[in-house]
Amino acid sequence: MKKLFGLLSIVLLITVLAACGNGDAESSSGEGESASGDSGETKTIKAGIGLNSDHPQYKGLLKFKEIVEEKTDGAIKVDTYHSGQLGDDRSMTEALQLGTQEVVVPSTAPLANFVPEFSVFDIPFLFPNEQVADEVLDGEVGQELLGKLEEQNLVGLAYWENGFRDLTNSERAVASVDDFDGLKIRTMENDLHLDAFKALGANPTPMAFTELFTAMQQGTVDGQENPYATIYLQKFYEVQDHVSNTHHIYSPFVFLMSKSFYDGLTEDQQKIVKDAAVEAGKHERKLNREANEKYLKQLQEEGMEYTEISDEARQEMVDAVAPVIEDYKSKIGEETVDKVYKAIEDAQK
């Protein structure tokens, strides 16, 4: 009888504790339930980039975190990772496809491995300035390209900015097509970039970025091409004498989210993360442009000679690479290339 009484007591105690526990869960839901969509459960976004914490890209990611956590009342938490802590752009994009990571903001170049049409942004001298790039990317054709990512289990929420790539070298000032002649220029391992530099008269040499400083120091290559922020932060001014605003490639970032994660959000949450990606992107673009102005001045203060490319000289460069672009149109997708050029033309009217 004592055993039976003891057993009944234990059952009663468990029932009371369970009831208390349910009361706590209900009281913690409240407004949080409508924000999270599933009784107050917190969702976590792992968001990674390849660049370091000083770059405007990471500051944009922090802005995204701030907006999302505030708008969802903490129902969605954003953990940010910089400097390739979660891998390079390609491996992080693959992690999104697998559902093991939620956000990455890669350049468009590695995205071409998933959606070939993104190679359109590798076309030299595509955008005349940042404002036209903004209008095209945020417009119909840019959004159409983002839509193609869904077939790869990815959701493109917004375009951010890596920026224009510019030329440095240790041999001479580059102000015209003729000045490219024979220059050994390190480029990315990208066939379109390589063929374009050959058409300009240079001797392009693909190599790992980690090897670049030593290669320039030892004279293995004469120069390289990157945005001003990279040129300055990597201290290339120590081994390079000349910088020209060739602006030969404009490279966007794409704010990507795992489709499986995005589909698991409520409609309200989907709108919040979409709007946050766009707003944070505008913030990142502004910071990036301010940083490039600052770094160009600092490069000159460090002793680099700056050469402004005239409109006439840039047109000569455009004409020189035109046959290369024509050869690559079918690989990229002629319809996509034509749409982008038409959008650029319209944006300049």
Side-chain angles (χ1 to χ4, degrees):
M1 192 69 180
K2 289 182 179 179
K3 288 183 178 179
L4 179 59
F5 179 76
L7 182 59
L8 287 172
S9 299
I10 292 171
V11 171
L12 179 61
L13 179 60
I14 291 172
T15 304
V16 170
L17 289 174
C20 292
N22 288 336
D24 288 342
E26 288 171 5
S27 66
S28 67
S29 297
E31 292 179 358
E33 183 172 350
S34 62
S36 68
D38 49 8
S39 304
E41 179 189 346
T42 301
K43 300 177 186 294
T44 300
I45 291 174
K46 294 192 299 294
I49 62 168
L51 296 174
N52 66 34
S53 59
D54 292 327
H55 197 280
Q57 186 191 32
Y58 186 66
K59 294 172 184 176
L61 206 56
L62 293 178
K63 185 70 172 177
F64 173 78
K65 170 185 171 72
E66 174 191 324
I67 296 169
V68 169
E69 293 184 348
E70 178 184 343
K71 295 290 185 184
T72 63
D73 294 322
I76 299 179
K77 181 173 178 282
V78 182
D79 293 336
T80 60
Y81 300 85
H82 56 79
S83 306
Q85 291 170 303
L86 299 180
D88 59 20
D89 282 352
R90 179 162 183 167
S91 63
M92 285 191 283
T93 302
E94 290 170 347
L96 261 63
Q97 291 179 305
L98 295 171
T100 57
Q101 184 176 327
E102 290 71 42
V103 164
V104 65
V105 194
S107 291
T108 50
L111 272 188
N113 293 305
F114 303 88
V115 178
E117 288 88 345
F118 273 97
S119 290
V120 70
F121 300 118
D122 289 319
I123 291 177
F125 306 106
L126 184 66
F127 292 113
N129 54 56
E130 291 101 337
Q131 290 69 36
V132 169
D134 289 350
E135 190 165 337
V136 173
L137 294 170
D138 298 339
E140 184 178 346
V141 66
Q143 299 307 303
E144 184 179 313
L145 281 168
L146 291 183
K148 292 180 181 294
L149 291 161
E150 292 203 19
E151 298 173 6
Q152 298 295 322
N153 202 32
L154 301 166
V155 178
L157 294 180
Y159 288 99
W160 291 15
E161 178 176 273
N162 188 3
F164 279 107
R165 303 178 75 88
D166 291 293
L167 183 74
T168 70
N169 81 96
S170 57
E171 292 296 307
R172 56 181 174 268
V174 173
S176 68
V177 169
D178 293 341
D179 296 325
F180 279 91
D181 189 38
L183 284 179
K184 294 175 289 185
I185 304 298
R186 179 268 177 186
T187 67
M188 292 186 287
E189 294 182 13
N190 179 297
D191 289 341
L192 177 50
H193 289 194
L194 290 167
D195 288 344
F197 271 103
K198 287 175 185 175
L200 289 168
N203 180 14
T205 305
M207 69 170 59
F209 185 74
T210 52
E211 301 172 5
L212 178 54
F213 187 94
T214 301
M216 291 189 294
Q217 189 176 44
Q218 296 178 346
T220 305
V221 294
D222 300 318
Q224 60 82 54
E225 40 87 50
N226 263 298
Y228 295 137
T230 303
I231 296 168
Y232 182 80
L233 293 172
Q234 295 295 323
K235 298 185 178 182
F236 289 163
Y237 53 80
E238 294 182 358
V239 290
Q240 298 279 271
D241 300 317
H242 305 279
V243 56
S244 302
N245 71 326
T246 49
H247 277 27
H248 51 277
I249 297 287
Y250 176 85
S251 177
F253 288 128
V254 178
F255 191 100
L256 289 180
M257 181 168 281
S258 164
K259 188 174 186 301
S260 58
F261 179 81
Y262 183 81
D263 289 346
L265 300 176
T266 66
E267 287 187 14
D268 284 346
Q269 290 173 339
Q270 289 178 348
K271 185 177 189 309
I272 287 170
V273 298
K274 167 71 174 175
D275 291 348
V278 172
E279 185 177 341
K282 291 177 181 177
H283 178 67
E284 187 269 349
R285 283 172 173 172
K286 180 176 181 290
L287 293 180
N288 197 59
R289 289 162 196 180
E290 290 172 352
N292 275 323
E293 285 186 24
K294 177 184 74 173
Y295 287 131
L296 176 57
K297 289 178 182 177
Q298 290 180 335
L299 287 172
Q300 294 173 81
E301 289 170 3
E302 292 291 346
M304 292 192 78
E305 179 185 344
Y306 172 65
T307 302
E308 183 85 22
I309 306 294
S310 69
D311 291 341
E312 293 78 14
R314 183 169 281 104
Q315 186 57 51
E316 289 179 359
M317 297 175 193
V318 171
D319 294 340
V321 301
V324 175
I325 297 170
E326 195 63 34
D327 288 343
Y328 276 85
K329 280 181 70 173
S330 60
K331 297 178 185 178
I332 298 169
E334 291 193 25
E335 183 180 357
T336 297
V337 174
D338 290 342
K339 281 184 178 180
V340 170
Y341 272 115
K342 177 65 166 59
I344 291 170
E345 183 182 337
D346 291 344
Q348 292 178 283
K349 289 180 180 177

